[in-house]
């Protein structure tokens, strides 16, 4: 013990007299280790604490406080009681001791064993003996943190102080200017108002001491280490000012005053604070200030040039009206909502009768904002406004005015949000509203018709605003416009409106629209003379396209799909048989409509059955009939044989299978696998097919072999939880087809299908053996320069490499290494370079997340990090004529990397990228420029060091024969003008001379980029320039 006492006295002496601050940590360690207690430390400090020198006493208290900062968790209640008494007494000591005392008290406020009443005792001493605002920044923060700690753990005791606590805090905060401390002070004030502390007679004082900072005007200095933002201060202060309704009488006049400010941020802050406040107030809190608030809000919407302020003003009006709508009416109380809405109506309603004047829309927006606040408000506004709008619409014949009035009506309808059991405010005006819309649909003005369809869509989205009879009449009008109106804008609007109405009432579309569209689809153009035959065919084609789009748009309900899908399938069937002449574009459009139906229709068992039992079998049947008809036919060839049509069928099948329920998906996969492996056609309609079909072994019949793309659409879009039957046999035959078939679509689809299955196949020895076998076969074909199927093997190599790369399969590197080696190949080198673009990009039809592919995060970065060195080594070793292949491969890889990775890796690859700019291949140039352009915005030092070479190459590309290369190079030159001025000024004259030529380029887009770039370089170094 004597030794411990000596150590303790030594630590005290060295800290107090020797001014060695590190000894405080040593003392804290000794206390934690139990060598001595806190109270023994106090005894050891005795002489220093009673010294006649204030600085000596301050050092002694500082040592004790720093030890407490590390050891407060191990104190007993008795020790805490003694220390609090000691520190309270020290607050009356010399002012130089106060900072250390406050640090000690702050540590004690964190103790979990504070004796009862000690929190009140500390605060009384603090408020009585310390003038907080005379302290330094750190000491003021210490006081605020003490209050925060005590409010978190001793709330009941502090509330026992009553209004004295609030008064003490107000005195402590009054005059605070540092934003770091303001955040703490606002946090305390927010807790006071939200946790129900007694404000007593100091309500106004608390409001004044906080509201003097409103609105916040703070811009943090550059590179602020504290990270305090204006938004944090604004939100914290807003929480204080709007935290209690007792502040309403002070806050609302303040907001009205601040809305007169010319500072846009102050206006916006005031409006947002008003929104936050009235959401918590009752109607009696705001009743006295309604006229002033309305005048300010009206002015901001009528006169502002800022969309943000206008939007905030409208939102504030909605919030204020909503506040008034929450009032409960008594027989002897005034209806504040009616009073306020009368103010709004008086100032705005008459402007709606002047549709040519600029105040129509501000007035309409204000009324709509009030209307959207509540059901009560919507009824009041609608009853006052709608009769005048309807009367004016019926009284004018000008299309522009009618369109404006319809747009105003639409905004009113959209602003009302009703619950299912509430009657819409516009229910009473349903007949005249429908009459307005239907009359507009009969007009010849396209803009008026488009607006009418938008209003009709809005009416359909409200409860009970359209009866079944109204929907039927609307369908008649829409059908007429669809079949007779040539304007594409009107057609798009009609199709969109039809889709919205179909969700409301499908019966009218099943009985009226779909039969009429079917009739039009299968009608023939009327006989015309030769001069008008071409235009008539074009018009009939346009009508058919609109009909096909409309069929897809209205098919969102299972009942509608069962009627519309057979029509689309009949189009495909007629195109195949030649019963009616349909162009390839129309057949593709029919497939596109089936795909959109599969995407948008409600996901139900009924819908799944429709696709499983009808649509998919019918598509396969038609495609198989066309394939069996064969390429050898001397007569008319079915359009279903064309690649465009098959490519349009694939998304129909893939989307359908993607959305099928698991059981149906498995059954569909089983059917297709049996069809392609065994020739099982039992599930197909019109079953007149031969029984010995072998679709995956038809290398000599491209019409049959290309059907593998339909198999791809099914089995590669299934979830990984759905098991594909006979997978080994299927993949073996797909591999065989992809390596032996000579038809491009057939072997490409087989390779993609093989890759899609390999990507989702469960890991294990079976998959590894399959990949090794395939790799061996592919490499043997590629190594034989005279092989007739090198291109097929190369295609399979690319897709399998991508499938394995996406899932990080360990064997992927064998395939990609082979791909790297092909960059030196005389025949396949350019194709190998292009293949890296496919490896790094997302595929639209397969191996994407929409097809449930196994895709690991950051696979691109991993591939680059593992293979960039191989590219560089290959480039250095390659003969000159092969180097462009490596440059193009590098550009394709880097171009798909995230920007941050590009910035990190650029220094090591910069020389190669600069070399790529000199490559004669325009594809390499464009890919490299698109890679460099985002990097030039924040150039790394390595790029600036190569500025001479970079500028020279970019200026040379401004005269390229390819427009896209010229544009990209000019954009890069533009970006370089933002480099540090001392780095780019030496190039100014040279760049300006070189840019004079593209100023006269024959392409406008090139001239525009040249003007922008030259303007920046011209201003370089001048005042106000870059």
């Amino acid at each position: 013990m004597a030794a411990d006492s000596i150590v303790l006295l030594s630590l005290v002496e060295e800290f107090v007299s020797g001014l060695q601050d590190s000894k405080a940590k040593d003392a804290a360690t000794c206390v934690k280790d139990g060598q001595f207690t806190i109270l023994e430390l106090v005894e050891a400090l005795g002489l220093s604490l009673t010294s006649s020198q204030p600085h000596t006493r301050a050092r002694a208290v500082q040592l004790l406080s720093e030890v407490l900062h590390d050891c407060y968790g191990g104190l007993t209640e008795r020790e805490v009681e003694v220390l609090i008494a000691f520190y309270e007494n020290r607050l009356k000591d010399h002012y130089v001791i106060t900072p250390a005392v406050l640090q000690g008290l702050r540590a004690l406020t964190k103790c979990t064993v504070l004796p009862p009443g000690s929190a009140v005792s500390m605060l009384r001493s603090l408020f009585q003996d310390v003038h907080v605002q005379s302290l330094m920044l750190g000491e003021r923060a210490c006081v605020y943190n003490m209050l925060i700690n005590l409010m978190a753990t001793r709330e009941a005791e502090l509330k026992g102080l009553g209004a004295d606590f609030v008064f003490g805090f107000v005195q402590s905060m009054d005059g605070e200017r540092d934003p770091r401390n303001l955040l703490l002070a606002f946090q305390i004030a927010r807790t006071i108002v939200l946790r129900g502390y007694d404000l007593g007679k100091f309500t106004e004082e608390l409001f004044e001491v906080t509201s003097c900072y409103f609105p916040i005007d703070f811009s943090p200095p550059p590179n602020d280490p504290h990270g305090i933002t204006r938004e944090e201060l604004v939100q914290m202060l807003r929480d204080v000012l709007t935290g209690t309704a007792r502040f309403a009488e002070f806050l609302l006049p303040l907001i009205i005053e601040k809305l007169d400010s010319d500072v846009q941020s102050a206006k916006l802050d005031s409006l947002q604070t008003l929104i936050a406040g009235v959401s918590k107030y009752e109607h009696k809190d705001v009743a006295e200030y309604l006229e002033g608030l309305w005048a300010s809000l009206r002015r901001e919407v009528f006169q502002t040039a800022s969309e943000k302020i206008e939007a905030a003003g409208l939102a504030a009006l909605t919030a204020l009206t909503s506040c008034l709508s929450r009032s409960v009416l008594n027989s002897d109380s005034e209806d504040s909502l009616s009073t306020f809405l009368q103010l709004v109506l008086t100032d705005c309603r008459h402007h709606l009768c002047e549709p040519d004047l600029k105040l129509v829309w501000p007035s309409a927006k204000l009324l709509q904002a009030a209307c959207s606040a509540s059901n009560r408000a919507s009824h009041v506004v609608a009853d006052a406004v709608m009769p005048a709008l309807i009367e004016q619409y019926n009284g004018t014949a000008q299309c522009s005015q009618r369109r404006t009035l319809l747009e105003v009506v639409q905004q009113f309808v959209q602003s009302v949000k009703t619950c299912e059991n509430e009657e819409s405010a516009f229910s009473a005006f349903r007949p005249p509203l429908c009459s307005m819309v239907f009359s507009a649909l009969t007009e010849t003005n396209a803009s008026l018709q488009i607006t009418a369809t938008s209003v009709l869509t809005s009416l359909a989205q409200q409860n009970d605003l359209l009866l079944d009879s109204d929907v039927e009449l609307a369908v008649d009008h829409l059908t007429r416009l669809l079949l007779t109106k040539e304007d594409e804008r009107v057609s798009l609007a009609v199709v969109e409106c039809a889709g919205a109405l179909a969700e409301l009432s499908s019966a009218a579309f099943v009985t009226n629209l779909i039969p009429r569209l079917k009739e039009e689809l299968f009608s023939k153009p009327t006989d015309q003379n030769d001069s008008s035959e071409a235009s008539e065919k074009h018009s009939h084609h346009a009508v058919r396209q609109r009909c096909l789009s409309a069929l897809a748009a209205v098919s969102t309900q299972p009942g509608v799909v069962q009627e519309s899908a057979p029509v689309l399938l009949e189009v495909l069937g007629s195109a195949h048989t030649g019963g009616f002449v349909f162009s390839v574009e129309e057949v593709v459009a029919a497939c596109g409509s089936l795909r959109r139906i599969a995407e948008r229709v409600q996901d139900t068992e009924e819908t799944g059955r429709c696709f499983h039992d009808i649509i998919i079998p019918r598509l396969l049947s038609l495609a198989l009939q066309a394939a069996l008809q064969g390429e050898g036919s001397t007569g008319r060839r079915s359009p279903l044989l064309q690649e465009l049509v098959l490519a349009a069928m694939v998304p129909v099948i893939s989307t359908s299978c993607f959305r099928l329920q698991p059981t149906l998906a498995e059954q569909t996969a089983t059917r297709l696998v049996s069809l392609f492996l065994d020739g099982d056609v039992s599930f197909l309609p019109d079953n007149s097919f031969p029984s010995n079909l072998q679709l995956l072994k038809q290398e000599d019949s491209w019409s049959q072999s290309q059907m593998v793309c339909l198999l791809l659409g099914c089995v590669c879009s299934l979830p990984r939880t759905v098991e594909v039957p006979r997978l080994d046999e299927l993949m073996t035959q797909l591999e065989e087809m992809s390596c032996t078939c000579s038809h491009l679509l057939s072997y490409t689809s087989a390779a993609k299908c093989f890759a899609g299955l390999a990507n989702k196949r469960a890991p294990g020895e079976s998959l590894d053996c399959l990949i090794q076998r395939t790799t061996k076969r592919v490499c043997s074909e590629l190594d034989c320069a005279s092989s007739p199927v090198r291109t097929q093997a190369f295609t399979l190599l690319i897709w399998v490499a991508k499938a394995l790369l996406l899932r990080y399969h360990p064997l992927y590197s064998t395939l990609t290494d082979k791909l790297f080696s092909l960059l030196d190949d005389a025949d396949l080198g350019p194709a190998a370079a292009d293949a890296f673009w496919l490896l790094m990009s997302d595929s639209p039809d397969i191996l994407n997340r929409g097809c449930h592919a196994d895709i690991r995060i950051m696979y691109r970065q991993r591939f680059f990090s593992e293979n960039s060195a191989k590219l560089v080594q290959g480039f250095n070793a390659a003969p000159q004529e092969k180097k462009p292949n490596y440059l193009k491969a590098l550009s394709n890889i880097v171009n798909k990397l995230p920007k941050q990775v590009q910035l990190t890796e650029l220094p090591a690859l910069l020389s190669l990228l600069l070399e790529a700019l000199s490559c004669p291949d325009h594809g390499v140039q464009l890919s490299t420029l698109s890679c460099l352009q985002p990097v030039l915005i924040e150039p790394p030092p390595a790029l600036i060091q190569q500025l001479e070479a970079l500028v020279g190459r970019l200026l040379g590309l401004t005269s390229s024969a390819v427009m896209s290369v010229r544009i990209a190079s000019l954009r890069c030159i533009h970006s370089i003008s933002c480099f540090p001025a001392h780095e780019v000024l030496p190039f100014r004259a040279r760049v300006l001379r070189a840019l004079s030529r593209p100023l006269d380029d024959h392409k406008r887009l090139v001239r525009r980029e040249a003007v922008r770039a030259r303007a920046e370089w011209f201003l370089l170094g001048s005042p106000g320039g870059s």
Side-chain angles (χ1 to χ4, degrees):
M1 292 299 294
D4 291 342
S5 177
I6 294 173
V7 171
L8 176 58
L9 291 173
S10 173
L11 289 173
V12 169
E13 179 65 22
E14 290 175 354
F15 184 90
V16 175
S17 302
L19 302 180
Q20 297 184 33
D21 291 345
S22 62
K23 297 302 178 181
K25 290 292 183 184
D26 296 340
T29 301
C30 292
V31 172
K32 289 180 181 178
D33 294 343
Q35 294 185 31
F36 46 83
T37 66
I38 284 290
L39 294 184
E40 289 173 345
L41 175 61
V42 174
E43 292 176 3
L45 289 168
L47 291 176
S48 300
L49 292 173
T50 57
S51 171
S52 60
Q53 297 297 320
H55 289 285
T56 300
R57 299 198 301 276
R59 289 290 293 178
V61 176
Q62 182 183 349
L63 174 60
L64 177 60
S65 296
E66 290 189 19
V67 172
L68 281 177
H69 179 73
D70 291 336
C71 304
Y72 65 85
L75 298 178
T76 64
E77 183 174 329
R78 175 58 184 162
E79 289 174 330
V80 172
E81 186 176 3
V82 171
L83 289 169
I84 289 175
F86 166 75
Y87 277 117
E88 288 177 356
N89 183 267
R90 292 297 93 187
L91 284 175
K92 298 178 174 63
D93 204 336
H94 195 277
Y95 69 89
V96 299
I97 303 175
T98 302
V101 175
L102 292 175
Q103 291 178 18
L105 286 174
R106 178 188 175 186
L108 292 174
T109 59
K110 300 178 184 179
C111 292
T112 58
V113 292
L114 278 178
S118 58
V120 172
S121 174
M122 279 191 283
L123 291 185
R124 288 192 185 279
S125 299
L126 179 67
F127 293 150
Q128 179 178 345
D129 298 326
V130 179
H131 181 246
V132 176
Q133 287 306 311
S134 66
L135 300 174
M136 300 296 288
L137 169 66
E139 285 72 55
R140 301 200 303 275
C142 193
V143 172
Y144 297 137
N145 280 303
M146 286 174 56
L147 296 179
I148 291 172
N149 294 339
L150 292 175
M151 293 175 80
T153 59
R154 294 293 186 270
E155 180 178 292
E157 288 186 33
L158 300 190
K159 286 183 176 179
L161 279 171
D164 289 346
F165 173 70
V166 175
F167 178 67
F169 168 69
V170 168
Q171 283 188 316
S172 301
M173 178 188 173
D174 192 10
E176 182 62 65
R177 297 180 61 85
D178 188 272
R180 289 164 288 182
N181 283 343
L182 281 176
L183 271 180
L184 299 174
F186 290 160
Q187 182 180 344
I188 297 169
R190 181 179 64 178
T191 304
I192 289 174
V193 298
L194 294 181
R195 298 292 297 171
Y197 283 74
D198 181 17
L199 304 184
K201 59 184 178 180
F202 300 112
T203 301
E204 185 173 1
E205 283 76 5
L206 179 60
F207 178 82
E208 291 295 334
V209 80
T210 52
S211 65
C212 64
Y213 302 99
F214 179 81
I216 294 289
D217 181 17
F218 169 69
S219 297
N223 303 318
D224 179 19
H226 307 289
I228 296 175
T229 64
R230 177 181 179 276
E231 289 70 24
E232 285 181 298
L233 290 167
V234 166
Q235 188 58 52
M236 193 72 75
L237 178 58
R238 185 176 298 155
D239 291 343
V240 175
L241 299 181
T242 62
T244 174
R246 296 182 63 179
F247 283 167
E249 61 178 308
F250 313 114
L251 177 61
L252 295 178
L254 178 63
I255 288 176
I256 293 172
E257 175 190 341
K258 297 300 181 182
L259 284 174
D260 287 332
S261 170
D262 294 329
V263 181
Q264 298 293 303
S265 60
K267 288 177 179 285
L268 189 60
D269 192 3
S270 299
L271 290 169
Q272 292 171 344
T273 303
L274 176 61
I275 296 170
V278 296
S279 65
K280 302 174 184 177
Y281 296 163
E282 296 182 8
H283 69 100
K284 64 178 183 295
D285 298 319
V286 300
E288 181 181 349
Y289 310 99
L290 290 178
E291 290 189 17
L293 289 171
W294 163 241
S296 297
L297 295 176
R298 178 189 60 201
R299 181 184 65 249
E300 294 310 319
V301 175
F302 275 177
Q303 300 177 8
T304 186
S306 168
E307 292 184 3
K308 284 186 177 180
I309 291 180
E310 180 189 54
L314 295 172
L317 178 57
T318 301
L320 183 57
T321 308
S322 179
C323 170
L324 298 174
S325 301
R326 293 193 293 269
S327 61
V328 179
L329 297 181
N330 300 319
S331 57
D332 58 345
S333 65
E334 180 183 5
D335 187 356
S336 301
L337 176 63
S338 296
T339 303
F340 180 67
L341 290 179
Q342 193 57 46
L343 286 173
V344 178
L345 289 167
T346 301
D347 288 342
C348 295
R349 180 170 46 185
H350 63 280
H351 291 304
L352 299 182
C353 299
E354 305 164 345
D356 286 335
L357 301 181
K358 65 178 183 180
L359 292 181
V360 170
W361 279 112
S363 299
K365 289 177 180 178
L366 286 166
L367 288 168
Q368 290 153 12
C371 190
S372 65
S374 67
N375 192 37
R376 281 178 60 196
S378 66
H379 278 276
V380 173
V381 174
D383 291 345
V385 170
M386 290 308 299
L389 291 174
I390 294 170
E391 180 182 358
Q392 188 168 1
Y393 180 89
N394 293 329
T396 183
Q398 293 186 25
C399 289
S400 61
Q401 292 188 357
R402 284 192 157 198
R403 186 178 71 251
T404 300
L405 291 167
L406 273 178
E407 290 171 347
V408 171
V409 168
Q410 180 187 6
Q411 295 300 320
F412 273 110
V413 173
Q414 290 177 339
S415 68
V416 175
K417 300 176 180 61
T418 56
C419 300
E420 291 185 3
N421 57 347
E422 290 182 345
E423 182 183 18
S424 172
F426 298 96
S427 296
F429 305 101
R430 184 194 61 76
L433 281 175
C434 291
S435 177
M436 289 172 60
V437 172
F438 295 148
S439 68
L441 290 174
T442 60
E443 297 283 352
T444 58
N445 184 277
S447 297
L448 187 57
Q449 291 171 336
I450 293 171
T451 304
T453 60
S454 299
V455 178
L456 192 56
T457 301
S458 300
L459 292 175
Q461 293 168 349
Q462 295 291 323
N463 294 334
D464 302 324
L465 284 188
L466 289 180
L467 304 180
D468 290 342
S469 58
D470 298 325
V471 175
E472 291 180 5
L473 185 56
V475 170
D476 290 339
H477 282 291
L478 295 177
T479 305
R480 175 182 53 80
L481 290 174
L482 197 65
L483 300 180
T484 62
K485 198 70 177 179
E486 296 291 339
D487 193 310
E488 186 177 351
R489 297 173 304 144
V490 176
S491 301
L492 291 174
V494 168
V495 169
E496 182 180 353
C497 180
L501 288 176
E503 296 183 6
L504 173 67
S505 174
S506 59
F509 291 88
V510 171
T511 57
N512 296 347
L513 178 68
I514 293 178
R516 185 72 183 88
L517 295 181
K518 180 179 179 181
E519 178 184 345
E520 188 65 31
L521 281 170
F522 292 97
S523 66
K524 296 182 179 180
T526 57
D527 293 334
Q528 300 284 339
N529 56 42
D530 293 340
S531 61
S532 60
E533 182 178 356
S535 62
E536 176 64 22
K537 285 184 177 180
H538 174 75
S539 174
H540 190 61
H541 172 72
V543 172
R544 280 182 167 180
Q545 292 280 6
R546 295 198 294 270
C547 291
L548 293 171
S549 297
L551 284 172
V554 302
S555 301
T556 56
Q557 306 292 330
V560 181
V561 173
Q562 291 179 353
E563 299 296 329
S564 62
V567 175
L568 294 168
L569 292 172
E570 190 173 345
V571 170
L572 299 179
S574 296
H576 166 62
T577 60
F580 285 88
V581 178
F582 287 93
S583 67
V584 172
E585 292 79 6
E586 291 165 353
V587 176
V588 170
C591 293
S593 294
L594 284 171
R595 176 184 55 80
R596 288 193 294 275
I597 291 174
E599 290 173 344
R600 299 175 63 244
V601 70
Q602 292 180 0
D603 193 4
T604 63
E605 178 75 19
E606 183 181 5
T607 303
R609 282 287 172 191
C610 179
F611 278 93
H612 175 266
D613 296 336
I614 299 174
I615 297 176
I616 295 177
R618 180 61 175 159
L619 285 175
L620 292 170
S621 176
L622 289 171
L624 187 55
Q625 288 175 29
L628 292 174
Q629 177 180 309
E631 67 273 17
S633 175
T634 56
R636 174 187 172 275
R637 181 178 294 179
S638 171
L640 272 60
L641 286 174
Q642 298 204 25
E643 290 188 15
L644 279 176
V645 177
L646 282 173
M649 282 187 180
V650 172
V652 180
I653 294 177
S654 62
T655 305
S656 304
C657 293
F658 177 82
R659 297 194 64 190
L660 283 178
Q661 293 81 7
T663 303
L664 293 179
E666 194 168 339
Q667 292 175 11
T668 300
T670 302
R671 285 178 171 183
L672 265 79
V673 171
S674 297
L675 170 64
F676 280 85
L677 291 180
D678 304 329
D680 181 5
V681 294
S682 59
F683 70 98
L684 298 180
D686 304 327
N687 191 350
S688 58
F689 305 109
S691 59
N692 59 345
L693 285 174
Q694 291 186 318
L695 296 175
L696 294 181
K697 296 181 180 179
Q698 296 290 338
E699 293 87 355
D700 298 329
S701 174
W702 62 263
S703 62
Q704 294 181 42
S705 65
Q706 69 180 1
M707 280 192 64
V708 71
C709 67
L710 302 181
L711 174 67
L712 159 74
C714 173
V715 296
C716 291
S717 61
L718 298 173
R720 276 175 272 171
T721 54
V722 175
E723 183 177 353
V724 179
R726 303 166 64 183
L727 187 56
D728 287 328
E729 182 182 357
L730 178 62
M731 294 185 72
T732 299
Q733 293 203 23
L734 287 170
E735 177 192 332
E736 183 68 23
M737 172 179 273
S738 63
C739 288
T740 59
C741 184
S742 60
H743 184 241
L744 175 61
L745 176 61
S746 301
Y747 70 71
T748 302
S749 298
K752 292 165 72 173
C753 189
F754 182 92
L757 294 172
N759 173 264
K760 290 192 280 190
R761 186 164 183 172
E765 184 179 354
S766 175
L767 175 62
D768 295 344
C769 291
L770 177 68
I771 298 302
Q772 289 169 356
R773 184 192 71 201
T774 303
T775 303
K776 182 178 179 181
R777 178 173 186 176
V778 166
C779 291
S780 66
E781 296 289 354
L782 291 172
D783 291 340
C784 179
S786 60
S787 172
V789 292
R790 286 192 87 205
T791 302
Q792 291 89 321
F794 177 71
T795 303
L796 182 59
L797 169 71
I798 297 170
W799 284 105
V800 176
K802 182 177 179 66
L804 300 183
L805 170 63
L806 292 179
R807 62 181 287 176
Y808 287 173
H809 193 281
L811 293 177
Y812 94 90
S813 59
T814 305
L815 297 169
T816 53
D817 287 347
K818 184 62 180 177
L819 194 57
F820 280 118
S821 70
L822 290 174
L823 291 172
D824 289 324
D825 190 273
D827 299 321
L828 297 177
D834 291 331
F836 286 97
W837 178 270
L838 189 149
L839 279 183
M840 301 296 284
S841 59
D842 295 324
S843 304
D845 56 344
I846 194 174
L847 295 178
N848 55 55
R849 299 190 189 280
C851 294
H852 302 287
D854 186 358
I855 302 177
R856 306 300 174 88
I857 60 172
M858 297 191 295
Y859 74 90
R860 295 182 179 90
Q861 292 91 311
R862 175 172 176 170
F863 177 76
F864 176 80
S865 63
E866 292 178 354
N867 294 283
S868 58
K870 297 177 185 178
L871 263 178
V872 175
Q873 293 170 3
F875 174 83
N876 294 330
Q880 189 62 37
E881 65 273 12
K882 305 299 181 185
K883 288 185 182 294
N885 295 336
Y886 285 90
L887 294 175
K888 191 169 188 178
L890 174 66
S891 182
N892 286 335
I893 295 172
V894 175
N895 205 25
K896 287 296 182 179
L897 293 176
K899 180 183 175 182
Q900 291 304 317
V901 180
Q902 291 180 355
L903 289 173
T904 304
E905 302 294 341
L906 187 67
L909 302 174
L910 188 56
S911 59
L912 280 182
L913 291 174
L914 291 175
E915 186 77 22
L917 292 178
S918 302
C919 178
D921 188 313
H922 297 307
V924 175
Q925 295 171 354
L926 186 59
S927 181
T928 307
L929 288 170
S930 60
C931 170
L932 281 174
Q933 189 177 343
V935 178
L936 293 175
I937 298 174
E938 298 177 8
L943 188 60
I944 295 178
Q945 294 170 7
Q946 297 281 346
L947 206 52
E948 174 72 36
L950 178 62
V951 171
R953 286 170 170 78
L954 290 175
L955 290 178
L957 292 176
T958 59
S959 57
S960 168
V962 180
M963 182 183 73
S964 55
V965 173
R966 299 200 299 275
I967 291 175
S969 61
L970 287 168
R971 287 175 177 168
C972 289
I973 293 171
H974 185 179
S975 300
I976 292 177
S977 68
C978 299
F979 282 22
H982 68 280
E983 298 283 358
V984 293
L985 268 175
F987 301 97
R988 181 174 179 270
R990 176 183 172 189
V991 170
L992 291 177
R993 283 195 305 271
L995 290 181
S996 60
R997 180 175 178 181
L999 288 176
D1000 294 326
D1001 196 280
H1002 63 286
K1003 291 294 186 179
R1004 179 182 61 84
L1005 295 178
V1006 177
R1007 295 197 300 272
R1008 183 178 66 182
E1009 294 298 334
V1011 167
R1012 291 175 177 172
R1014 195 169 189 272
E1016 289 297 326
W1017 278 90
F1018 189 82
L1019 294 173
L1020 196 64
S1022 62
S1026 298

